[in-house]
Amino acid sequence: MDISDSVKYVGVDDNSIDLFEGQFEVPLGMSYNSYVVIDEKTAVMDSVDANFGEEWLSKVESALGGRKADYLVVQHMEMDHSSNVLAFAEKYPDAKIVASKVAFTMMKNMFGTDFPGRQIVAAEGSELKLGKKTLAFIAAPNVHWPEVVMTAIKEDGILFSADAFGKFGAYGAEEPEGWSCEARRYYFGIVGKFGANVQSVMEKIKPLGIGTICPLHGPVLTGNDAVEAVRLYGIWSSYEAESDGVAVFYTSVYGHTKKAAESLAEKLRARGCPKVALNDLAREDPFECVEDAFRYGKLVLASTTYNGGVFPAMREFIERLCERGFRNRTIAFVENGSWAPAAARTMASLLEGCKDITIIGEKATIKISPTAETDSMLDAIADAMTK
Ligand code: FEO
């Protein structure tokens, strides 16, 4: 597949994977993207997952059309992209390996060699002339690992963006909800902690006039799709709310807390809340829940008291948020406790390390089953969340 007159796609799809990176459900499969740049010299951009080495090498060979590979650019050393670097280096013994200094250290750890005599270090601002085209390297530390570089073809406004702008799903998988749905779950699941790093890279790529984005996962983005992806990354990396509405997350053992959460959702809708996202933390995909927490500016956390604290699914959810730099949100608590409610206090303490969290005072405490009194507490939360 041709991306431009000089860039060919040589990625692969994994349609049998169950969990990406051992934890993310990927019902639409997963793509591992790689590209070949053809000019007076040729450059291959990244490799693919270990299970697809032969398929990838065969695609690279075909894209090269009988020419030799001059460079392999290793933008990211995570194994879904770097597993076949050694096999490539053996197949193309004259090819130089282009990567950041940190990436070469990782190669030594991974392969037992850092390819002495074949190294070209891709440092911030360094360039590699292929002929008519020039590869310009942009350091992108922690997007997603510390060794990451992105690469632009200066003359064409094409950006090889490493993990950034990637998404779950095989290449070209049908997306009823559009690119942003699985891209958002991917971003907050994998890159969300590194918002400041993403912002810094976004500033660096602004002047490059990028019109085509070639990520390591998901589709190549062009035209308005590329513009929209950059706009969303600006919001996501700043931890601002993307959508107007309230996300309600609950855990419930015997259904009483669920009933309260559903009642609160109704009250929010009745007050004109533009969107209410209701999530059962024990049953929903955990990273759909993480995505919703970052998407909306207002959250309600409703949980059973458990072992003198909070129900495990709620504890894990809050920990997932905190690990990802969660901040800048308004939160209300609903707690249930049969004799000594402690969930609200525990949830507040779990969130203590998060910046710019406003906890609204209208807490609702249920003792086993919702009552008229707790109903008016839920009214107070709904009022505070919609005023
Ligand atoms: Fe797609 Fe961070 O690897």
Side-chain angles (χ1 to χ4, degrees):
M1 177 170 49
D2 289 348
I3 304 301
S4 74
D5 59 351
S6 57
V7 178
K8 293 175 191 291
Y9 179 81
V10 291
V12 298
D13 277 339
D14 188 344
N15 287 305
S16 57
I17 184 172
D18 57 348
L19 294 175
F20 178 64
E21 291 189 359
Q23 61 173 332
F24 301 101
E25 289 181 21
V26 282
L28 300 173
M30 198 68 204
S31 76
Y32 307 107
N33 296 346
S34 169
Y35 308 87
V36 174
V37 186
I38 306 279
D39 199 346
E40 287 160 33
K41 301 275 188 186
T42 63
V44 178
M45 308 301 297
D46 292 294
S47 85
V48 299
D49 183 80
N51 293 325
F52 300 90
E54 279 184 27
E55 181 183 346
W56 173 68
L57 284 170
S58 156
K59 285 187 170 186
V60 168
E61 189 176 332
S62 162
L64 288 170
R67 296 183 55 184
K68 67 189 178 83
D70 294 297
Y71 304 106
L72 173 64
V73 179
V74 180
Q75 299 188 114
H76 184 15
M77 274 299 292
E78 192 164 9
M79 292 73 188
D80 50 337
H81 311 294
S82 67
S83 288
N84 299 290
V85 168
L86 187 59
F88 177 95
E90 286 170 355
K91 180 167 177 177
Y92 298 99
D94 296 330
K96 299 271 195 269
I97 311 298
V98 185
S100 68
K101 265 184 108 158
V102 183
F104 281 115
T105 304
M106 291 180 173
M107 283 182 221
K108 180 97 179 173
N109 296 337
M110 187 163 164
F111 304 118
T113 177
D114 57 3
F115 305 101
R118 299 175 65 180
Q119 290 186 4
I120 295 178
V121 174
E124 172 72 35
S126 69
E127 295 184 353
L128 182 62
K129 197 95 181 138
L130 299 181
K132 292 191 183 69
K133 316 285 182 189
T134 312
L135 301 184
F137 300 107
I138 303 137
N142 291 335
V143 187
H144 145 229
W145 279 13
E147 84 293 3
V148 171
V149 290
M150 296 184 187
T151 309
I153 300 182
K154 277 172 75 176
E155 294 78 5
D156 297 346
I158 294 175
L159 177 72
F160 299 97
S161 61
D163 271 343
F165 302 105
K167 68 179 272 297
F168 298 123
Y171 199 100
E174 197 158 320
E175 279 290 8
E177 296 175 77
W179 175 86
S180 64
C181 184
E182 285 293 69
R184 188 187 296 103
R185 186 167 70 94
Y186 173 94
Y187 176 85
F188 286 113
I190 293 176
V191 194
K193 178 181 170 63
F194 306 111
N197 301 74
V198 174
Q199 295 246 307
S200 155
V201 171
M202 301 273 288
E203 282 304 309
K204 288 194 273 185
I205 63 175
K206 240 183 220 168
L208 300 177
I210 297 301
T212 300
I213 300 175
C214 300
L216 285 175
H217 304 285
V220 169
L221 301 163
T222 57
N224 287 341
D225 292 340
V227 172
E228 175 63 1
V230 169
R231 184 188 78 82
L232 288 172
Y233 260 59
I235 296 171
W236 298 344
S237 59
S238 66
Y239 303 96
E240 293 296 324
E242 176 191 345
S243 303
D244 203 6
V246 179
V248 179
F249 302 92
Y250 67 89
T251 67
S252 191
V253 179
Y254 293 105
H256 297 111
T257 314
K258 177 181 181 182
K259 199 170 159 189
E262 288 173 342
S263 167
L264 177 61
E266 273 312 306
K267 291 175 187 297
L268 289 164
R269 288 186 198 105
R271 285 163 174 77
C273 182
K275 169 77 183 175
V276 182
L278 185 63
N279 292 284
D280 178 345
L281 290 173
R283 290 177 177 79
E284 300 280 342
D285 173 347
F287 292 99
E288 292 280 356
C289 295
V290 167
E291 175 190 347
D292 267 358
F294 280 95
R295 181 172 187 167
Y296 299 98
K298 296 173 183 174
L299 277 63
V300 178
L301 305 181
S303 180
T304 316
T305 298
Y306 195 81
N307 284 337
V310 72
F311 199 70
M314 180 61 80
R315 175 183 293 279
E316 286 161 15
F317 173 61
I318 295 174
E319 284 171 352
R320 279 193 188 97
L321 299 183
C322 297
E323 284 165 11
R324 288 167 173 78
F326 191 66
R327 66 190 69 175
N328 191 30
R329 295 292 183 275
T330 298
I331 298 178
F333 297 127
V334 177
E335 62 178 354
N336 199 339
S338 303
W339 61 94
R345 188 177 65 234
T346 308
M347 290 188 280
S349 97
L350 287 169
L351 284 160
E352 259 168 18
C354 298
K355 292 180 190 160
D356 303 323
I357 298 292
T358 304
I359 294 179
I360 63 168
E362 290 82 355
K363 171 183 79 170
T365 297
I366 304 162
K367 292 191 173 169
I368 301 182
S369 186
T371 62
E373 191 190 347
T374 55
D375 195 55
S376 62
M377 294 176 187
L378 296 177
D379 276 322
I381 291 177
D383 287 341
M385 284 285 175
T386 52
K387 76 182 175 195

